[in-house]
Amino acid sequence: MLPGNDAVKHTARTALKSCWPQAIAVTLFCVAVTLCGILLDELFAALLQPFGDWIADLVFLCYTLLLLLPTLQGALRWFWRVTGGAQEEVGAVFYYFSDRRAYLRSLWLTLYLAGKALLYGVLLLLPGAVVGCLSDPALYTRFHLSMPYWATGLRVLSGVLTALGVLILCGILLRYYLAPLFLAAREDMTPLEAAHLSTRVSKQTRGAFLALLFSFVGWALLILLCAVPLFYAVPLFFAALAVHGRFAVFHYNQNVLAARDTRFPAYRAQF
């Protein structure tokens, strides 16, 4: 059985006790990279009218894939190593920019997971989109047709199908939540191996991970009201995620060892 959220957070706080300034500095780097992307998006949207929004979205997507996500993965690697007892410099947050191989590992994992999200997203959200299109009066007006009476009821069905598709999509993507941790933990592991291992380990830990996420909802609301708690809650979340990942791996290994133990007691029957 996995430890509860209190144990995970307590372990994370203990690991960060001697390096809170460095953890806040890593968080500041992540926030700065994120804000630069947002400002770049706004700049392109303002300067390149009337097509600025499309170009800005494309630029922001490229910025996210090529710069922001590798930085966040570097931060997650920093917290993984620190919670494991290692001494890391703050500059290690940019580890995945340090050499070509490290950067390509990070980028390939990002593209692989993005491709999974896109593929499953299209398949799961397409039914709701099609039904929603059939319930749109503009469709019938374009072809000079009167809207059927039964088509009005399709709006509710479209909403149900879309909500169901989103829930299933989230469930599928949760299978890969450990992949960035495994990529950080094993330098010799390929992104595909990290993703595959995540699907196996997360079968028994997704519920605990969701509980950990919901335990930070209060902090998220405080950050929306006042940004100051961000410099405590974000480092704690990264550290708690790393600790949770270690507990998840230990739990998985224990289950594997238990499954391999096929010894049965021997009985002697005498007649």
Side-chain angles (χ1 to χ4, degrees):
M1 184 176 179
L2 286 172
N5 291 333
D6 291 339
V8 170
K9 292 179 180 179
H10 176 75
T11 306
R13 291 190 189 95
T14 302
L16 293 177
K17 185 178 295 184
S18 60
C19 57
W20 267 110
Q22 295 91 328
I24 293 174
V26 169
T27 302
L28 280 172
F29 278 125
C30 294
V31 171
V33 174
T34 303
L35 291 178
C36 285
I38 295 174
L39 291 175
L40 192 66
D41 179 74
E42 296 292 336
L43 182 63
F44 274 89
L47 296 179
L48 300 178
Q49 293 295 335
F51 304 106
D53 290 339
W54 291 92
I55 298 176
D57 291 341
L58 180 61
V59 170
F60 185 74
L61 176 62
C62 294
Y63 180 91
T64 300
L65 293 176
L66 300 178
L67 293 176
L68 178 58
L69 290 181
T71 302
L72 294 178
Q73 289 184 29
L76 189 57
R77 178 184 179 274
W78 189 91
F79 282 97
W80 172 270
R81 292 181 57 80
V82 166
T83 54
Q87 298 292 327
E88 282 288 287
E89 298 292 334
V90 174
V93 67
F94 300 113
Y95 168 80
Y96 289 106
F97 299 99
S98 62
D99 63 72
R100 180 174 176 271
R101 179 180 176 273
Y103 182 73
L104 289 179
R105 289 176 73 233
S106 171
L107 182 62
W108 178 241
L109 179 64
T110 298
L111 293 177
Y112 178 79
L113 297 182
K116 286 281 187 180
L118 180 62
L119 175 62
Y120 285 113
V122 170
L123 293 177
L124 292 170
L125 300 179
L126 184 60
V130 171
V131 174
C133 183
L134 293 176
S135 66
D136 188 359
L139 174 67
Y140 302 94
T141 302
R142 175 174 297 181
F143 294 99
H144 306 288
L145 298 173
S146 59
M147 184 174 179
Y149 177 76
W150 52 266
T152 58
L154 294 178
R155 294 181 181 178
V156 176
L157 179 60
S158 174
V160 172
L161 290 175
T162 301
L164 185 61
V166 170
L167 289 176
I168 297 175
L169 178 62
C170 291
I172 292 174
L173 296 182
L174 272 176
R175 300 166 62 210
Y176 300 99
Y177 81 93
L178 288 169
L181 287 175
F182 292 152
L183 197 72
R186 292 281 301 274
E187 302 294 337
D188 59 337
M189 183 176 290
T190 67
L192 292 182
E193 289 173 339
H196 175 68
L197 184 58
S198 177
T199 61
R200 298 180 60 182
V201 177
S202 64
K203 287 182 180 180
Q204 301 175 351
T205 61
R206 282 177 289 184
F209 173 64
L210 284 176
L212 182 64
L213 282 182
F214 283 119
S215 71
F216 280 90
V217 170
W219 284 111
L221 295 176
L222 284 177
I223 291 172
L224 291 177
L225 296 174
C226 175
V228 174
L230 180 145
F231 301 107
Y232 173 81
V234 173
L236 179 61
F237 174 75
F238 273 116
L241 180 58
V243 171
H244 165 82
R246 294 182 185 278
F247 285 144
V249 171
F250 178 79
H251 180 71
Y252 174 78
N253 289 336
Q254 291 298 108
N255 288 339
V256 170
L257 292 176
R260 290 177 179 175
D261 187 5
T262 57
R263 294 173 298 173
F264 295 95
Y267 297 97
R268 178 176 297 177
Q270 295 180 351
F271 297 94

